[in-house]
Amino acid sequence: MGELAVEKHAQYILSVEKRKDDFESLVMEHLRLNGAYWGLTTLDIMHKLGSVNPDEVVTWILSCQDKESGGFGGNVGHDPHVLYTLSAVQVLALLDRLDAVDVDKVSDYVAGLQKEDGSFAGDIWGEIDTRFSYVAICCLSLLHRLNKINVEKAVDYIVSCKNLDGGFGSIPGGESHAGQIFCCVGALAITGSLHHIDRDLLGWWLCERQCKDGGLNGRPEKLTDVCYSWWVLTSLIMIDRVHWIDKNKLSKFILNCQDLEKGGISDRPDNAVDVFHTYFGVAGLSLMEYPGLKPIDPAYALPVDVVNRIFFQK
Amino acid sequence: MHGRPRKATKQEDPAAAAAKSARLRELQSQLLHFHHNRIYTKEAVSVSSKLLEINPEIYTGWNYRKLAFQHNLKEVSDTDTDTDTETIKSAIEDELRMVEVALRRNPKSYGAWYHRKWILGQKLVPANFDHEFRLLDMLLKADARNFHGWNYRRFIARLKDVSEEEELKYTMDMINTNFSNYSAWHNRSMLLSKLLRKKAKGFHEEESILSDEFELVRQALFTDPSDQSGWFYHLWLLDQTSTPHKPHLVSSWPSDKLNIEISAQFKEKCERFPIIFCFNQQVDGVNLATVTINSKLVSSEHITWKPLSANNSRKSKIWVGFLENFNKYCDNSEGLSVEISVHCCESIVHLKFVMKLSHMDHQGENGDGFEELFLWDCPKSQEINPYLVSYDPWRLRVESVEEDTKWHLDTLSAEIALFKEMSECDEDSKFVKLTLARLLGAHNSIKSGGSAYFEEILKLYDDLIKLDAPHYRYYRDERSLVLLDQMTSSKDSLVEYCSRCENSSFSCINPQLCINFSGLNLTRIGFVERLLWVQILDLSHNNLTSILGLEALQLLVCLNLSHNQIMSFTALEPIKSLQSLKVLDLSFNEIGSHPVDTTRYLCSSPLSHTCNVTETMEELARENIKIGDFWEAILLFESLQLAQLDMQGNPVTNERFRVLVGKVIPCLKWLDGKPVR
């Protein structure tokens, strides 16, 4: 089995941070805050967070905050949205700088997005998706403000998105998809509600995502992709069924997706790399206890030592 | 981000690339300028069109367009006294056109799809449904698995108030075009269950509907057995056929007609007596109103019923009620007779049992018990245990199953015959073997007295372990359950695993039997409803990573889990509720060697908001112990009253850990075979 080229990937991530003007970077400019989370968390998992200046990062993150609503946009000047608000909180947690924000203002923004039926909109425009349920619950929990929402209704809504194959969709009736499943399982985990899941049924659906090439796909009859090493793997871990896949084969698949020359990991072997897949590949390896990597918490998607610090240190 | 080759197939001319980037950068900064300054002129809006055409993912662009739309409509209604429907229609059409342009670029753009929903959802003018369905047909033909398209289709169908029956026909069309369409099968299953639940016209006869669906999926499986969609649909149909819709009571402790003998010490030391109910599904509503007690000395109010669950769930398969102060009831020679009626399911179940004081003498009954080390060396004996005569698994299976099972058994038998044929033609199909194993298992579980298929099922799983090696641990787990089913299915089979436990100094219910399930390659636990009466259980030398199910064994006093593969303290959550547990052997497991904890969210902890940082933890924190490192062990042990614990052979066990254990379990007498000071 090949090895994880930690140095190369660290350099790749730092270089992406600097590169802002080529077409590929411009097209993703609106989600730079997500990119910051993917890049920095990967660096931390590889014990390389020290190469970053935390003050600079914090200053930039705060500049993405919409002063009026308290929410964060994907980049400076972009509209606030719950997706980027979570990334902001996660990065601040990573750097142990949650003191840099007005916690109540941020949590009020997030809590204000909950609807009557317990679902969550992504922003003021009202798109509903269980992704946003996860993002809101994860964010509020990290800020110790879960009590600002109606947790029971939030759980009820998520359960209403449960399908007959044991998986979850984006809205009631939506087809099961590993990304949505991660969001729903994560939200149920954080709210102590995993008893709503038929773990054997879902576990089997998830373990059948492993294909002949060792990689995982997101739903039946689709192509394998490194990012599913995260979505499927965390879901399996949270319901204690990860032993139903072949970890060796998956590790090999991820390592084969590395660009050993320039650093970074791609969705499939020999495709173009990006920070998104670099994070999911490294995080996936961490979940499989790859040596030398920090363990990552499957529900909060942050290193275990960061999560333990938030919940067990007064 | 997806599907781009690493080495570009043709090198882009650097000048052209720079121009492309500059153009995008210009459009983006113009958009943000117009947006922040609330400029909604035609020119400004056309900038957003150009931008979203190149990059439909810029969500702020879609937000801007919504604001522009609202602003410009308001302008129209402000200037004219009648709102100009033509202007509104034209504005809407501009937006819908923008969405179509964006979808051509990226048919999976969340922003584009939502914008369309947002526009039509306002119902300013009647939607052109023909156009919407045509658009959907086109997109779903290009990609039948585009879930955005399917979600949007459900949205439009609801908007137009299309009946579920009609949408069901659409799924049939999609499936007929191509059997490999998981999205269509999924939609079909959702619509069918809705119609069956509503008992809509033409959908009363669940059995004939399901028979038709079996016929349909059979065609798919025969046409293309390598496609997964049909197999998952078949599993759903099987579940509908073999799972009773209504919950019912499966077993209880005490079981019906049981005569219980209690030792004098049990009566002395134990203030409460557990009554356990085991249902086939998670239920709620077990309480004073639904469980009535008929007895000379005991009344319903003496018992509080609790669901057994790791979190604060109101529902559970296992419910336990404690008969408080029961020791004062057992004194007279007649003993205590109790009748219980359980009303909480569709039917009422009656149970009756009698508790009497034992006349037998026990050695070493002074003190709290456990003055001596408990040793796991109960010899197997040949004599048939009188206790087991009263334990009857078939009496345990409460006869309250209302549903007529003839159609179910016939359907399963037909499917079994078919799949046996299939497996002869196709030796290498894992789905055929797995489905056959599941069908045989379902048949066993429905047919009372069913035990015909155990050996066949075990062989199928052995074949699957070889055939589909990457999933071998899934098959091992299923195999363990089948084995446990077989072992506990009758008195005769269970007797093989029982022995009398002479070596004991603790109070208990007579007789003291040890169940020895060691060395069976078990990877998980099941069928606990048949083991509710067990007090001493040996599960050593297996491959257990999980002990889920053991929480039901409320009478358990001694548990041996040594030489297994338990990876963390959180995996032991089920035993937290075992208040009678005194002896626990965890030696030679893997606690402390795994940085990743797979049961971290299946236990009670602050991370899942199911418990707070406890007093014990705060005290230990004051003594400068890093509770972040030990919270799992602390939360587990502080809830138990162990007298004897074995932890050696786990990487976590060191001097520091032993000291912690001593602090957290004050009543502990024996640690790793040595007396605790």
Side-chain angles (χ1 to χ4, degrees):
Chain A
M1 166 150 50
E3 267 193 21
L4 183 66
V6 168
E7 279 306 325
K8 290 266 179 200
H9 299 319
Q11 277 164 31
Y12 166 72
I13 291 169
L14 294 170
S15 76
V16 165
E17 192 273 323
K18 295 184 179 48
R19 194 180 61 205
K20 291 181 216 180
D21 293 316
D22 63 329
F23 190 77
E24 272 70 40
S25 305
L26 282 172
V27 173
M28 313 251 249
E29 212 178 65
H30 63 282
L31 48 70
R32 198 172 162 80
L33 195 35
N34 286 157
Y37 159 72
W38 295 322
L40 294 170
T41 311
T42 309
L43 288 176
D44 197 17
I45 298 176
M46 301 190 305
H47 300 277
K48 298 271 180 207
L49 194 56
S51 17
V52 160
N53 181 331
D55 291 322
E56 275 176 26
V57 175
V58 172
T59 308
W60 178 76
I61 288 181
L62 292 176
S63 71
C64 295
Q65 187 175 26
D66 172 53
K67 299 292 173 269
E68 213 189 297
S69 65
F72 288 77
N75 206 331
V76 182
H78 290 239
D79 284 351
H81 192 286
V82 78
L83 288 173
Y84 311 107
T85 308
L86 173 63
S87 289
V89 169
Q90 283 172 316
V91 174
L92 292 174
L94 199 63
L95 300 173
D96 200 7
R97 293 295 310 275
L98 283 169
D99 55 306
V101 282
D102 178 345
V103 166
D104 283 303
K105 188 150 171 98
V106 178
S107 10
D108 285 339
Y109 168 74
V110 175
L113 292 167
Q114 185 172 33
K115 302 290 162 209
E116 266 304 303
D117 64 358
S119 66
F120 282 85
D123 61 13
I124 52 172
W125 296 106
E127 183 188 0
I128 306 287
D129 191 315
T130 47
R131 284 179 297 149
F132 308 143
S133 299
Y134 165 71
V135 161
I137 286 170
C138 180
C139 188
L140 290 170
S141 181
L142 289 170
L143 297 173
H144 300 292
R145 294 290 189 279
L146 202 55
N147 54 356
K148 288 200 183 206
I149 58 165
N150 185 330
V151 175
E152 202 180 314
K153 280 200 159 170
V155 168
D156 285 343
Y157 180 77
I158 292 171
V159 173
S160 77
C161 298
K162 188 167 54 163
N163 291 321
L164 298 167
D165 53 17
F168 293 84
S170 59
I171 47 175
E175 186 185 336
S176 299
H177 178 279
Q180 308 293 150
I181 291 172
F182 159 71
C183 291
C184 293
V185 175
L188 293 176
I190 294 173
T191 54
S193 313
L194 285 174
H195 55 278
H196 290 288
I197 294 180
D198 182 338
R199 287 154 50 208
D200 287 333
L201 183 61
L202 178 58
W204 183 67
W205 189 94
L206 286 169
C207 83
E208 281 293 325
R209 298 305 105 241
Q210 185 158 42
C211 301
K212 290 208 163 64
D213 63 4
L216 306 176
N217 64 17
R219 45 187 176 133
E221 303 303 319
K222 286 258 156 181
L223 294 174
T224 53
D225 184 329
V226 157
C227 64
Y228 294 113
S229 317
W230 173 263
W231 310 122
V232 174
L233 213 52
T234 29
S235 305
L236 282 169
I237 286 186
M238 287 189 274
I239 59 173
D240 192 20
R241 294 287 181 271
V242 70
H243 55 288
W244 286 356
I245 60 154
D246 185 329
K247 293 189 206 168
N248 264 334
K249 285 187 95 179
L250 179 59
S251 297
K252 278 202 186 96
F253 176 82
I254 297 175
L255 293 168
N256 270 344
C257 294
Q258 298 179 96
D259 182 339
L260 295 170
E261 273 177 47
K262 306 208 178 97
I265 299 179
S266 55
D267 56 346
R268 245 159 258 135
D270 299 319
N271 269 356
V273 304
D274 56 57
V275 175
F276 177 82
H277 289 94
T278 305
Y279 164 71
F280 289 120
V282 174
L285 289 170
S286 160
L287 286 176
M288 292 191 286
E289 300 182 336
Y290 189 89
L293 296 177
K294 268 193 183 186
I296 187 165
D297 180 292
Y300 291 95
L302 286 168
V304 169
D305 61 344
V306 172
V307 177
N308 282 359
R309 188 209 313 138
I310 291 177
F311 287 95
F312 293 107
Q313 246 173 33
K314 289 280 149 178
Chain B
M1 272 202 291
H2 286 97
R4 290 177 299 130
R6 192 166 292 176
K7 303 229 178 320
T9 37
K10 34 174 211 253
Q11 285 303 336
E12 212 181 359
D13 168 32
K20 217 167 75 165
S21 299
R23 174 100 177 104
L24 184 57
R25 146 97 46 246
E26 200 198 319
L27 286 170
Q28 279 180 184
S29 66
Q30 278 185 314
L31 172 80
L32 289 179
H33 167 75
F34 292 139
H35 182 49
H36 292 143
N37 292 294
R38 300 175 215 241
I39 300 170
Y40 305 121
T41 60
K42 250 194 147 121
E43 294 73 30
V45 172
S46 82
V47 164
S48 76
S49 307
K50 295 195 188 85
L51 178 60
L52 288 169
E53 189 179 353
I54 300 177
N55 185 5
E57 304 320 311
I58 297 203
Y59 67 100
T60 305
W62 293 109
N63 296 351
Y64 168 78
R65 283 194 81 94
K66 291 181 180 70
L67 286 165
F69 178 80
Q70 286 175 332
H71 178 267
N72 291 330
L73 274 193
K74 194 162 166 297
E75 297 263 290
V76 166
S77 63
D78 280 349
T79 47
D80 304 344
T81 35
D82 312 302
T83 20
D84 187 352
T85 347
E86 280 313 309
T87 318
I88 298 177
K89 265 179 128 176
S90 150
I92 290 177
E93 248 140 64
D94 284 344
E95 295 313 304
L96 295 181
R97 205 175 308 119
M98 178 75 250
V99 169
E100 284 172 49
V101 166
L103 287 179
R104 236 173 273 140
R105 177 93 185 161
N106 177 10
K108 300 183 191 177
S109 167
Y110 283 98
W113 285 105
Y114 182 65
H115 194 70
R116 201 174 187 89
K117 256 192 184 168
W118 183 83
I119 293 280
L120 290 181
Q122 291 184 64
K123 301 190 194 174
L124 294 169
V125 298
N128 182 345
F129 287 113
D130 282 341
H131 182 80
E132 296 306 305
F133 279 113
R134 260 200 314 270
L135 174 68
L136 276 167
D137 279 341
M138 198 178 72
L139 284 160
L140 287 176
K141 262 202 181 64
D143 178 4
R145 300 296 302 283
N146 185 338
F147 64 79
H148 298 270
W150 281 97
N151 283 348
Y152 188 72
R153 199 192 158 89
R154 282 179 276 263
F155 166 76
I156 290 292
R158 238 186 339 264
L159 206 61
K160 192 185 175 204
D161 211 10
V162 176
S163 71
E164 271 139 4
E165 287 88 338
E166 250 193 83
E167 279 303 285
L168 196 65
K169 276 205 205 85
Y170 178 74
T171 66
M172 200 57 242
D173 293 339
M174 292 299 273
I175 289 168
N176 277 331
T177 313
N178 181 5
F179 276 129
S180 169
N181 193 333
Y182 193 94
S183 309
W185 288 105
H186 158 76
N187 216 31
R188 191 171 179 81
S189 69
M190 301 297 301
L191 292 163
L192 268 177
S193 8
K194 271 206 190 109
L195 289 165
L196 288 171
R197 224 181 5 247
K198 281 191 334 195
K199 295 208 196 297
K201 206 157 119 181
F203 291 89
H204 303 284
E205 281 293 317
E206 180 172 309
E207 293 170 3
S208 87
I209 302 284
L210 290 176
S211 294
D212 289 343
E213 294 304 303
F214 269 115
E215 180 62 52
L216 175 65
V217 82
R218 224 171 277 145
Q219 287 174 45
L221 296 177
F222 273 109
T223 310
D224 187 1
S226 67
D227 184 83
Q228 294 200 339
S229 331
W231 295 107
F232 283 94
Y233 195 74
H234 190 275
L235 177 60
W236 174 63
L237 291 176
L238 172 56
D239 193 56
Q240 296 296 104
T241 312
S242 58
T243 310
H245 291 327
K246 305 177 216 150
H248 61 262
L249 187 66
V250 173
S251 75
S252 69
W253 162 268
S255 50
D256 192 25
K257 300 188 183 62
L258 192 63
N259 284 313
I260 306 167
E261 267 189 25
I262 298 174
S263 73
Q265 209 179 8
F266 186 81
K267 171 184 165 327
E268 208 67 38
K269 300 297 172 192
C270 302
E271 283 166 9
R272 44 194 225 156
F273 183 83
I275 301 178
I276 315 167
F277 291 144
C278 193
F279 298 89
N280 68 325
Q281 308 172 6
Q282 292 182 15
V283 297
D284 57 9
V286 177
N287 51 45
L288 292 180
T290 52
V291 184
T292 49
I293 314 281
N294 184 4
S295 166
K296 275 203 205 126
L297 299 167
V298 183
S299 78
S300 307
E301 285 82 49
H302 289 138
I303 309 188
T304 343
W305 297 97
K306 267 181 22 183
L308 282 186
S309 60
N311 41 41
N312 308 317
S313 167
R314 282 189 313 261
K315 286 186 159 195
S316 175
K317 274 180 162 178
I318 320 274
W319 283 77
V320 66
F322 290 99
L323 188 49
E324 307 284 347
N325 298 319
F326 84 101
N327 32 26
K328 64 183 193 232
Y329 304 130
C330 312
D331 270 331
N332 68 67
S333 55
E334 275 175 26
L336 173 67
S337 165
V338 182
E339 271 176 52
I340 305 183
S341 301
V342 186
H343 304 251
C344 45
C345 298
E346 300 283 317
S347 53
I348 304 176
V349 174
H350 299 287
L351 304 163
K352 180 174 176 183
F353 62 91
V354 178
M355 277 197 276
K356 267 197 210 142
L357 204 52
S358 161
H359 299 295
M360 286 166 56
D361 229 342
H362 281 280
Q363 301 296 334
E365 279 196 13
N366 302 317
D368 293 326
F370 303 104
E371 307 304 330
E372 282 171 31
L373 203 55
F374 177 87
L375 299 167
W376 289 92
D377 57 1
C378 313
K380 291 218 0 212
S381 64
Q382 298 292 47
E383 40 170 290
I384 293 184
N385 226 296
Y387 189 76
L388 285 180
V389 170
S390 67
Y391 157 66
D392 185 340
W394 306 121
R395 212 182 289 146
L396 280 185
R397 196 175 290 197
V398 173
E399 275 118 47
S400 65
V401 183
E402 293 288 320
E403 289 163 82
D404 173 21
T405 52
K406 181 173 188 316
W407 174 82
H408 307 269
L409 285 171
D410 286 345
T411 307
L412 287 177
S413 300
E415 290 294 301
I416 288 170
L418 189 72
F419 278 87
K420 279 193 175 168
E421 243 186 78
M422 264 181 103
S423 98
E424 266 149 45
C425 302
D426 187 356
E427 279 289 306
D428 292 331
S429 167
K430 81 168 199 208
F431 278 111
V432 171
K433 282 205 201 297
L434 181 57
T435 305
L436 183 54
R438 287 170 171 165
L439 284 164
L440 294 170
H443 195 278
N444 261 6
S445 71
I446 300 183
K447 195 168 164 72
S448 43
S451 63
Y453 294 123
F454 285 127
E455 289 303 322
E456 249 185 279
I457 304 174
L458 288 169
K459 172 146 197 324
L460 281 165
Y461 281 118
D462 287 335
D463 289 345
L464 283 163
I465 288 172
K466 290 190 210 112
L467 188 56
D468 183 16
H471 292 120
Y472 86 94
R473 291 184 69 179
Y474 169 70
Y475 302 123
R476 272 208 323 186
D477 275 359
E478 291 292 283
R479 195 186 188 286
S480 288
L481 291 177
V482 178
L483 195 62
L484 279 164
D485 191 358
Q486 188 182 41
M487 279 155 42
T488 58
S489 58
S490 71
K491 252 188 295 194
D492 296 325
S493 51
L494 197 47
V495 140
E496 302 286 310
Y497 301 95
C498 295
S499 48
R500 264 196 115 88
C501 194
E502 303 303 336
N503 143 39
S504 67
S505 59
F506 56 84
S507 43
C508 69
I509 297 166
N510 288 342
Q512 298 161 38
L513 286 178
C514 172
I515 311 307
N516 191 335
F517 283 161
S518 71
L520 295 170
N521 293 115
L522 294 173
T523 56
R524 65 186 286 189
I525 309 220
F527 300 95
V528 291
E529 63 269 20
R530 302 174 188 164
L531 303 171
L532 300 180
W533 49 277
V534 174
Q535 300 173 80
I536 308 170
L537 180 60
D538 187 344
L539 284 165
S540 64
H541 296 276
N542 277 295
N543 299 101
L544 294 171
T545 53
S546 156
I547 55 165
L548 205 60
L550 286 188
E551 67 275 9
L553 276 51
Q554 289 288 304
L555 299 178
L556 213 53
V557 180
C558 305
L559 177 62
N560 190 348
L561 290 170
S562 71
H563 296 275
N564 273 288
Q565 282 149 19
I566 310 277
M567 297 188 286
S568 66
F569 288 114
T570 56
L572 298 167
E573 176 78 14
I575 62 176
K576 271 188 192 170
S577 66
L578 301 181
Q579 290 303 302
S580 315
L581 193 68
K582 292 282 175 223
V583 173
L584 178 62
D585 190 343
L586 288 173
S587 58
F588 299 100
N589 275 281
E590 296 175 18
I591 304 177
S593 56
H594 290 275
V596 174
D597 184 356
T598 60
T599 38
R600 191 167 159 88
Y601 288 95
L602 295 168
C603 70
S604 242
S605 88
L607 300 167
S608 58
H609 301 89
T610 39
C611 83
N612 293 321
V613 172
T614 59
E615 257 183 61
T616 312
M617 289 166 99
E618 300 200 320
E619 253 178 64
L620 292 168
R622 281 192 285 271
E623 291 176 34
N624 283 328
I625 294 182
K626 281 189 81 188
I627 55 171
D629 290 346
F630 292 112
W631 65 270
E632 298 98 330
I634 298 169
L635 285 177
L636 173 68
F637 290 127
E638 72 171 10
S639 63
L640 299 173
Q641 277 113 49
L642 296 177
Q644 177 177 326
L645 174 66
D646 281 79
M647 284 285 322
Q648 59 182 303
N650 286 287
V652 75
T653 311
N654 54 26
E655 208 33 57
R656 210 168 137 224
F657 182 77
R658 289 202 172 92
V659 167
L660 179 75
V661 165
K663 287 193 211 266
V664 179
I665 321 177
C667 52
L668 194 66
K669 293 201 173 121
W670 300 94
L671 180 58
D672 288 333
K674 300 200 192 68
V676 171
R677 290 257 80 252

